[in-house]
Amino acid sequence: MRPARTKRIRRRRMRKQAPVTPTNAKSLESWIWDAACSIRGAKDAPKYKDYILPLIFTKRLCDVFDDELNRIAAEVGSRRSAFALAKADHKLVRFYLPLVPDDPEQPVWSVIRKLADRIGEGVTTHMRAIARENPLLQGIIDRVDFNATTHGQRDLDDDRLSNLIEAISTKRLGLDDVEADIIGKSYEYLIRKFAEGGGQSAGEFYTPPEVGTIMSRVLAPEPGMEIYDPCCGSGGLLIKCEIAMEERERGLSSPQDQTGGRNAPAPLKCEIAMEERERGLSSPQDQTGGRNAPAPLKCEIAMEERERGLSSPQDQTGGRNAPAPLKLYGQEYIADTWAMANMNLIIHDFEGEIEIGDTFKHPKFRWRGRLRTFDRVVANPMWNQNWFTEADYDNDELDRFPAGAGFPGKSSADWGWVQHMHASLNDKGRAAVVLDTGAASRGSGNAGTNKEKTVRQWFVDHDLIESVLYLPENLFYNTTAPGIVLFLNKAKPEARRGKVFLVNASQVFEKGDPKNFIPIDGIVRIADTLIGWKEEEKLSRIVDHAELARNDYNISPSRYIHTSDAETYRPLAEIVADLDAVEAEAREADAALREILRKIGV
Amino acid sequence: MSDSNLLIEPLPPGWKNQRFGEVCDRVKDSCSPVEDGDTPYVGLEHLAQGFPAFVGRGTESDIKSSKTAFKIGDVLFGKLRPYLRKGAQADFDGISSTDILVFRAEDGCISGFLKYLVHSDEFIEYAKSTTSGVQHPRTSWPSLREFRLSLPPLPEQKKIAHILSTVQRAIEAQERIIQTTTELKKALMHKLFTEGLRNEPQKQTEIGPVPESWEVVRCEDICDTISVGIVVKPSSYYVKDGVPAFRSQNVREDRIQPEPMVYISEEVNNGPVKKSKLSAGDVLIVRTGYPGTSCVVPPEFDGSNCIDLIFVRPNKEKLRSHYLSRFFNSDAAKVQVQAGKIGLAQQHFNVGAVKNTQMPLPPTDQQDEIVTHLELIDAKHDLATSKRNALQDLFRTLLHELMTAKTRVHELEMPC
């Protein structure tokens, strides 16, 4: 059995924790972070993220390739033949890497590790060669030039690059070493660390994991559903959806999980990768019996099936527990971030399609000339974009900005994005969008008309808004502003029609450095409140449309739910008694002082 | 290095000229914090400014790197920015920040005296002159131990310490009166705005319970004017002398802070900005910074103007200016202000939000009574404040006089 859940509940994030086990002494996270720091220390690591992420990604590809080769070698006799076989039939492995060490017994990664001079050039050449063989990886791992110079000076000189490669070499990331979701989580962890150091630019690619978890739990995607993120960044929100779905499925299907997880106070394992790792280490049952029984990559299963036929019982147990994965679709504007999202998905071993480009002007996902629709949409678009003009809305050919709502004003495209997402939903679709707090209230209470308020009113009047969540302050990496999450539902249940559920979670957080975070029990509380529409004093309220109208379509939870604790007062009599006491004290002190002053002769 | 010192000429009998390093020693016991430890921790933020006292303390688990361990009786002195005058005597064992020097009195000196010594102007002057670093000026033990002073004999040290700690006690008593009065005021306001004065049954309303005979009204319905002062380039109107124009910093809770005031000309006041010309009895409400803070325009400022403030002219039949101002300063109103303000960096409050603010409204005679009650508490608060200020002056003067032997106390009988 698993160890009791409660043991694994951590109030702090894992980066504050010391490594627990002596054997595998360093957690994968701290190893991966140390590797990143080998370039120029923790302070500058984020600057070099575009070098570090692809290298770690490549290391994973190499080690997995190694494992696959070994398996083939076990069948055919030698690694040398395995190399040859794989070269002849790339389908035998998931990603064929054209890296062949001089001595076939050496790991594939050694090709990169052994580069002695002109390392930058060598690494770049190898990565491009990998990309040539694997169209899926094109533009993802070959986009960085490790040999790049600025004004004749190498951006990342060979010495430091070689340190980085050495640091990365110290740990194997093969199939038997780490499970896909662990390395995936570590990769996410690294992205978060970069976000913490990245300051202003970080919010572009990273949404705090707690927020993603709440969104995905509330949206409750079901196996096989199509999920879309029009501004996907590093893909974190999509990944959260997959994790939430798998967790729920596993929770429902496996009795072990139900006793071990569901009834425990905090059934969320979510982002705290440390926990995950602990479980991986401490419970062998999980590793063998769990879904990812040593993380079977799809190709591996395919290969085994071919080799042994479909009858392998091991395979069936491995396969049976896995629910049909979600189909993840994302679009991202910034090329580096797009590459990050792709690597993130591959390394998590999730299925997805990430497009590149400006979603607002040129959405890539279309079907028969119309906007493609999805079961779920999640997104955290950049807040208050002010560069789209009325013409951009007018020129839209995809019916995203319906009459009566239309243009939300030039100063903030927040509601424009909501309109895009609304248009991307199918008839029963649901969406969760992170927006600036102001998007819920701007324009309300002003005399005269306000474009943004008009759009908001359209959404309320069409009964599309299911709930609004007001987040705690200082959660996001590029701002201290709290932000809200808007939940849309195109098919609200009958009982919820004409009403909106508001949650003010501004007090549900713990102080952290550099950013606040929502503890696990807080995530559960917020998600459960949102799912069940549970009203609770100082946290949540069901508000009907008439009341929203009275407040001029201000839908900010802070307007309706006051969390202030200022209203707790001590009884007057008690205060007065205190006052009497301090005044008596003061009189005594005064008398003593008078006496002394008299003696001094003042 | 400055020649600041505490040498007294001529040296009184029994006093000794010494270096600071002979009077006390620096404690260097290093201590690595244990995770989840609960030893008290003192950082610079826990030392009061200009006064030998603590304003709080942390615990070991807040900190990571190694620190200095101190014992009961040691004197802690902030070496970063010594002009802040941070120094206090510990009455507990604990660990302190590396920006705090820990002094332990040598045989010829008592701690109780040492803690006042480090607050003398001369010592602080000297410490200031020995700092290095521009961003983070710090003094150091090697410099401080060279500070020269005339040290009174032990019995006199004790008497000096006794006198100063008596003044300190009196100051702290006033401080507590101020705090308790503030708390009392808040609680009383809550009671007055929800229960009233007549001990009548309450009714539930949108803004919580209020006495049955009261109404709940929106500001807009009971005020003749709710508008905003000069917002377009106010600085272009400034003149040296003329009609006063209030800004946010002139508005404090229920009182005017007349300095620093800006002025606009009579022509402007009656011309482009005459819309926001104020009358005595108007209520000013802050929009930016501490939104909701409000006060009443006193008669002597009749006809003045205001900048980026909301001004409200109540319907005199139904609403008293001072009651309105008191209400906006109450916690009940603050909750509504919080909800209505926009913008995070610059907390901002607009006219629409004021209009929509809901207020419990008693008959005018009760409004007057409520205001009178609160004014009484304010008076008490102000009295304690001015008393504390006077005592602080006394403390500084006595400290100087006693340390420099201008006032001698060696012959006085004292219970110490």
Side-chain angles (χ1 to χ4, degrees), chain A residues 352-373:
Chain A
E353 214 177 295
I354 310 288
E355 290 287 351
I356 190 164
D358 180 344
T359 312
F360 207 84
K361 289 184 183 165
H362 308 288
K364 288 279 169 70
F365 293 101
R366 302 189 192 206
W367 189 69
R368 292 189 182 167
R370 302 178 63 90
L371 208 58
R372 182 163 168 183
T373 58

mmCIF file of all heavy atoms in Angstrom, chain A residues 352-373:
data_model
loop_
_atom_site.group_PDB
_atom_site.id
_atom_site.type_symbol
_atom_site.label_atom_id
_atom_site.label_comp_id
_atom_site.label_asym_id
_atom_site.label_seq_id
_atom_site.Cartn_x
_atom_site.Cartn_y
_atom_site.Cartn_z
ATOM 1 N N GLY A 352 -0.288 15.740 -28.360
ATOM 2 C CA GLY A 352 -0.712 17.110 -28.556
ATOM 3 C C GLY A 352 -0.261 17.676 -29.874
ATOM 4 O O GLY A 352 0.549 17.089 -30.578
ATOM 5 N N GLU A 353 -0.822 18.815 -30.157
ATOM 6 C CA GLU A 353 -0.488 19.497 -31.397
ATOM 7 C C GLU A 353 -0.325 20.963 -31.030
ATOM 8 O O GLU A 353 -1.287 21.603 -30.591
ATOM 9 C CB GLU A 353 -1.669 19.336 -32.355
ATOM 10 C CG GLU A 353 -1.320 19.231 -33.807
ATOM 11 C CD GLU A 353 -2.592 19.003 -34.610
ATOM 12 O OE1 GLU A 353 -3.225 17.939 -34.441
ATOM 13 O OE2 GLU A 353 -2.955 19.894 -35.375
ATOM 14 N N ILE A 354 0.865 21.479 -31.144
ATOM 15 C CA ILE A 354 1.089 22.878 -30.789
ATOM 16 C C ILE A 354 1.418 23.648 -32.064
ATOM 17 O O ILE A 354 2.368 23.312 -32.757
ATOM 18 C CB ILE A 354 2.254 23.025 -29.786
ATOM 19 C CG1 ILE A 354 2.093 22.087 -28.612
ATOM 20 C CG2 ILE A 354 2.375 24.464 -29.327
ATOM 21 C CD1 ILE A 354 1.023 22.426 -27.623
ATOM 22 N N GLU A 355 0.612 24.642 -32.356
ATOM 23 C CA GLU A 355 0.845 25.456 -33.544
ATOM 24 C C GLU A 355 1.524 26.751 -33.140
ATOM 25 O O GLU A 355 1.457 27.165 -31.988
ATOM 26 C CB GLU A 355 -0.493 25.765 -34.237
ATOM 27 C CG GLU A 355 -1.136 24.564 -34.893
ATOM 28 C CD GLU A 355 -0.416 24.147 -36.177
ATOM 29 O OE1 GLU A 355 0.476 24.900 -36.635
ATOM 30 O OE2 GLU A 355 -0.726 23.061 -36.698
ATOM 31 N N ILE A 356 2.121 27.373 -34.142
ATOM 32 C CA ILE A 356 2.789 28.633 -33.847
ATOM 33 C C ILE A 356 2.083 29.747 -34.600
ATOM 34 O O ILE A 356 1.603 29.534 -35.710
ATOM 35 C CB ILE A 356 4.289 28.534 -34.220
ATOM 36 C CG1 ILE A 356 5.041 29.743 -33.695
ATOM 37 C CG2 ILE A 356 4.501 28.361 -35.707
ATOM 38 C CD1 ILE A 356 6.534 29.532 -33.671
ATOM 39 N N GLY A 357 1.983 30.917 -33.976
ATOM 40 C CA GLY A 357 1.369 32.044 -34.670
ATOM 41 C C GLY A 357 0.480 32.867 -33.761
ATOM 42 O O GLY A 357 0.220 32.505 -32.620
ATOM 43 N N ASP A 358 0.008 33.979 -34.297
ATOM 44 C CA ASP A 358 -0.831 34.902 -33.542
ATOM 45 C C ASP A 358 -2.271 34.403 -33.562
ATOM 46 O O ASP A 358 -2.965 34.509 -34.574
ATOM 47 C CB ASP A 358 -0.718 36.295 -34.184
ATOM 48 C CG ASP A 358 -1.561 37.322 -33.465
ATOM 49 O OD1 ASP A 358 -2.456 36.919 -32.680
ATOM 50 O OD2 ASP A 358 -1.334 38.524 -33.672
ATOM 51 N N THR A 359 -2.710 33.857 -32.455
ATOM 52 C CA THR A 359 -4.041 33.256 -32.400
ATOM 53 C C THR A 359 -5.130 34.281 -32.679
ATOM 54 O O THR A 359 -6.134 33.984 -33.312
ATOM 55 C CB THR A 359 -4.296 32.656 -31.006
ATOM 56 O OG1 THR A 359 -3.178 31.882 -30.642
ATOM 57 C CG2 THR A 359 -5.527 31.800 -30.999
ATOM 58 N N PHE A 360 -4.920 35.481 -32.193
ATOM 59 C CA PHE A 360 -5.989 36.462 -32.271
ATOM 60 C C PHE A 360 -6.307 36.802 -33.730
ATOM 61 O O PHE A 360 -7.459 36.837 -34.134
ATOM 62 C CB PHE A 360 -5.602 37.728 -31.502
ATOM 63 C CG PHE A 360 -6.782 38.484 -30.992
ATOM 64 C CD1 PHE A 360 -7.374 38.123 -29.792
ATOM 65 C CD2 PHE A 360 -7.318 39.536 -31.714
ATOM 66 C CE1 PHE A 360 -8.478 38.803 -29.325
ATOM 67 C CE2 PHE A 360 -8.426 40.215 -31.252
ATOM 68 C CZ PHE A 360 -9.007 39.853 -30.054
ATOM 69 N N LYS A 361 -5.230 37.022 -34.507
ATOM 70 C CA LYS A 361 -5.462 37.411 -35.896
ATOM 71 C C LYS A 361 -5.543 36.194 -36.810
ATOM 72 O O LYS A 361 -6.235 36.204 -37.807
ATOM 73 C CB LYS A 361 -4.351 38.343 -36.359
ATOM 74 C CG LYS A 361 -4.449 39.706 -35.711
ATOM 75 C CD LYS A 361 -3.407 40.646 -36.259
ATOM 76 C CE LYS A 361 -3.466 41.979 -35.543
ATOM 77 N NZ LYS A 361 -2.291 42.799 -35.778
ATOM 78 N N HIS A 362 -4.786 35.170 -36.483
ATOM 79 C CA HIS A 362 -4.751 34.001 -37.363
ATOM 80 C C HIS A 362 -4.860 32.712 -36.566
ATOM 81 O O HIS A 362 -3.868 32.015 -36.387
ATOM 82 C CB HIS A 362 -3.450 33.982 -38.175
ATOM 83 C CG HIS A 362 -3.197 35.255 -38.889
ATOM 84 N ND1 HIS A 362 -3.927 35.644 -39.984
ATOM 85 C CD2 HIS A 362 -2.314 36.251 -38.652
ATOM 86 C CE1 HIS A 362 -3.489 36.834 -40.382
ATOM 87 N NE2 HIS A 362 -2.520 37.227 -39.606
ATOM 88 N N PRO A 363 -6.032 32.382 -36.103
ATOM 89 C CA PRO A 363 -6.160 31.124 -35.380
ATOM 90 C C PRO A 363 -5.874 29.954 -36.332
ATOM 91 O O PRO A 363 -6.401 29.922 -37.451
ATOM 92 C CB PRO A 363 -7.622 31.114 -34.915
ATOM 93 C CG PRO A 363 -8.305 32.221 -35.629
ATOM 94 C CD PRO A 363 -7.300 33.117 -36.231
ATOM 95 N N LYS A 364 -5.032 29.031 -35.893
ATOM 96 C CA LYS A 364 -4.596 27.962 -36.787
ATOM 97 C C LYS A 364 -5.569 26.798 -36.820
ATOM 98 O O LYS A 364 -5.625 26.059 -37.795
ATOM 99 C CB LYS A 364 -3.217 27.456 -36.340
ATOM 100 C CG LYS A 364 -2.075 28.425 -36.621
ATOM 101 C CD LYS A 364 -1.617 28.338 -38.075
ATOM 102 C CE LYS A 364 -0.682 29.467 -38.441
ATOM 103 N NZ LYS A 364 0.630 29.389 -37.820
ATOM 104 N N PHE A 365 -6.311 26.615 -35.735
ATOM 105 C CA PHE A 365 -7.175 25.448 -35.708
ATOM 106 C C PHE A 365 -8.522 25.779 -36.350
ATOM 107 O O PHE A 365 -9.350 26.476 -35.767
ATOM 108 C CB PHE A 365 -7.355 24.952 -34.263
ATOM 109 C CG PHE A 365 -6.079 24.413 -33.687
ATOM 110 C CD1 PHE A 365 -5.309 25.176 -32.815
ATOM 111 C CD2 PHE A 365 -5.632 23.146 -34.049
ATOM 112 C CE1 PHE A 365 -4.128 24.682 -32.306
ATOM 113 C CE2 PHE A 365 -4.442 22.656 -33.537
ATOM 114 C CZ PHE A 365 -3.688 23.427 -32.669
ATOM 115 N N ARG A 366 -8.684 25.304 -37.581
ATOM 116 C CA ARG A 366 -9.928 25.567 -38.306
ATOM 117 C C ARG A 366 -10.436 24.267 -38.891
ATOM 118 O O ARG A 366 -9.696 23.304 -39.040
ATOM 119 C CB ARG A 366 -9.669 26.550 -39.448
ATOM 120 C CG ARG A 366 -9.094 27.864 -38.956
ATOM 121 C CD ARG A 366 -9.064 28.855 -40.074
ATOM 122 N NE ARG A 366 -8.267 30.004 -39.665
ATOM 123 C CZ ARG A 366 -8.426 31.221 -40.170
ATOM 124 N NH1 ARG A 366 -9.327 31.427 -41.094
ATOM 125 N NH2 ARG A 366 -7.670 32.205 -39.760
ATOM 126 N N TRP A 367 -11.675 24.297 -39.221
ATOM 127 C CA TRP A 367 -12.280 23.112 -39.799
ATOM 128 C C TRP A 367 -13.339 23.574 -40.784
ATOM 129 O O TRP A 367 -14.254 24.311 -40.416
ATOM 130 C CB TRP A 367 -12.902 22.263 -38.690
ATOM 131 C CG TRP A 367 -13.357 20.923 -39.151
ATOM 132 C CD1 TRP A 367 -12.577 19.873 -39.560
ATOM 133 C CD2 TRP A 367 -14.701 20.490 -39.256
ATOM 134 N NE1 TRP A 367 -13.349 18.827 -39.911
ATOM 135 C CE2 TRP A 367 -14.665 19.152 -39.724
ATOM 136 C CE3 TRP A 367 -15.941 21.082 -38.987
ATOM 137 C CZ2 TRP A 367 -15.818 18.416 -39.958
ATOM 138 C CZ3 TRP A 367 -17.074 20.348 -39.207
ATOM 139 C CH2 TRP A 367 -17.016 19.021 -39.688
ATOM 140 N N ARG A 368 -13.162 23.205 -42.041
ATOM 141 C CA ARG A 368 -14.071 23.623 -43.104
ATOM 142 C C ARG A 368 -14.288 25.123 -43.084
ATOM 143 O O ARG A 368 -15.424 25.605 -43.106
ATOM 144 C CB ARG A 368 -15.411 22.908 -42.968
ATOM 145 C CG ARG A 368 -15.287 21.419 -43.237
ATOM 146 C CD ARG A 368 -16.655 20.798 -43.299
ATOM 147 N NE ARG A 368 -16.543 19.369 -43.511
ATOM 148 C CZ ARG A 368 -17.552 18.515 -43.368
ATOM 149 N NH1 ARG A 368 -18.723 18.951 -42.995
ATOM 150 N NH2 ARG A 368 -17.388 17.236 -43.587
ATOM 151 N N GLY A 369 -13.221 25.852 -42.972
ATOM 152 C CA GLY A 369 -13.305 27.305 -43.083
ATOM 153 C C GLY A 369 -13.849 27.998 -41.841
ATOM 154 O O GLY A 369 -13.967 29.211 -41.802
ATOM 155 N N ARG A 370 -14.222 27.199 -40.874
ATOM 156 C CA ARG A 370 -14.708 27.824 -39.645
ATOM 157 C C ARG A 370 -13.735 27.525 -38.521
ATOM 158 O O ARG A 370 -12.829 26.710 -38.650
ATOM 159 C CB ARG A 370 -16.088 27.276 -39.277
ATOM 160 C CG ARG A 370 -17.129 27.477 -40.342
ATOM 161 C CD ARG A 370 -18.435 26.858 -39.897
ATOM 162 N NE ARG A 370 -18.943 27.533 -38.700
ATOM 163 C CZ ARG A 370 -19.750 28.578 -38.741
ATOM 164 N NH1 ARG A 370 -20.139 29.063 -39.900
ATOM 165 N NH2 ARG A 370 -20.180 29.128 -37.633
ATOM 166 N N LEU A 371 -13.978 28.199 -37.416
ATOM 167 C CA LEU A 371 -13.139 27.958 -36.258
ATOM 168 C C LEU A 371 -13.418 26.550 -35.743
ATOM 169 O O LEU A 371 -14.576 26.156 -35.618
ATOM 170 C CB LEU A 371 -13.492 28.984 -35.172
ATOM 171 C CG LEU A 371 -12.405 29.372 -34.188
ATOM 172 C CD1 LEU A 371 -11.207 29.944 -34.924
ATOM 173 C CD2 LEU A 371 -12.957 30.402 -33.216
ATOM 174 N N ARG A 372 -12.367 25.810 -35.468
ATOM 175 C CA ARG A 372 -12.565 24.471 -34.931
ATOM 176 C C ARG A 372 -13.053 24.573 -33.483
ATOM 177 O O ARG A 372 -12.623 25.452 -32.743
ATOM 178 C CB ARG A 372 -11.224 23.738 -34.995
ATOM 179 C CG ARG A 372 -11.310 22.332 -34.515
ATOM 180 C CD ARG A 372 -10.107 21.561 -34.973
ATOM 181 N NE ARG A 372 -10.063 20.282 -34.278
ATOM 182 C CZ ARG A 372 -9.082 19.416 -34.427
ATOM 183 N NH1 ARG A 372 -8.069 19.699 -35.217
ATOM 184 N NH2 ARG A 372 -9.116 18.276 -33.773
ATOM 185 N N THR A 373 -13.935 23.698 -33.098
ATOM 186 C CA THR A 373 -14.442 23.774 -31.726
ATOM 187 C C THR A 373 -13.944 22.592 -30.890
ATOM 188 O O THR A 373 -13.637 21.531 -31.421
ATOM 189 C CB THR A 373 -15.982 23.810 -31.678
ATOM 190 O OG1 THR A 373 -16.472 22.644 -32.315
ATOM 191 C CG2 THR A 373 -16.513 25.045 -32.355
#
